[in-house]
Amino acid sequence: MPILETKNLKKAYGSGETAVHALRGVSLSVEQGEFAAVAGTSGSGKSTLLHMLGGLDRPTSGEVIVDGKPIFSLKDKALTIFRRRKIGFVFQSYNLVPVLNVYDVLHRFPFWL
């Protein structure tokens, strides 16, 4: 059984004639212990795909399945708990609060709980 799977994953930003189709039917399967890399040119949908795999953005259609569970069938609170316990994400850009040191950030914003 795959640990991570997508089925016909699609994402469009906007609607109608001006819609931008970032993903058009991506299906993939990753088995436990398998290593996968996502590569492509700028604008090819890599970040969009990774945001959906991490539960940060919802697809227009299709499914993301982690450990046999479709994650977007979860309610918002359950999805937050899923991300907290199952997903690690390092953002390309980060927004630090310039007036806080690391200790203050970790104690004021306990995102790891």
Side-chain angles (χ1 to χ4, degrees):
M1 181 167 100
I3 194 159
L4 171 66
E5 186 176 11
T6 67
K7 294 182 180 177
N8 200 26
L9 201 59
K10 296 179 183 178
K11 180 64 176 181
Y13 296 99
S15 61
E17 290 182 26
T18 60
V20 175
H21 297 274
L23 297 177
R24 297 176 188 249
V26 175
S27 295
L28 63 87
S29 178
V30 180
E31 299 293 327
Q32 182 151 356
E34 190 174 15
F35 179 83
V38 179
T41 60
S42 180
S44 64
K46 300 178 302 291
S47 293
T48 298
L49 174 62
L50 292 173
H51 285 156
M52 284 190 268
L53 295 178
L56 298 173
D57 194 8
R58 291 186 180 271
T60 302
S61 65
E63 290 184 288
V64 175
I65 302 162
V66 178
D67 284 340
K69 298 174 190 133
I71 65 171
F72 292 112
S73 65
L74 299 172
K75 294 186 179 184
D76 286 341
K77 185 173 181 177
L79 185 56
T80 298
I81 292 168
F82 159 79
R83 283 191 300 259
R84 230 185 260 160
R85 294 184 179 161
K86 296 274 188 180
I87 301 295
F89 216 96
V90 178
F91 293 95
Q92 187 173 351
S93 302
Y94 53 86
N95 295 311
L96 297 177
V97 180
V99 296
L100 298 179
N101 61 34
V102 172
Y103 178 85
D104 289 335
V105 169
L106 293 177
H107 286 86
R108 290 185 190 194
F109 308 102
F111 47 85
W112 64 88
L113 299 176

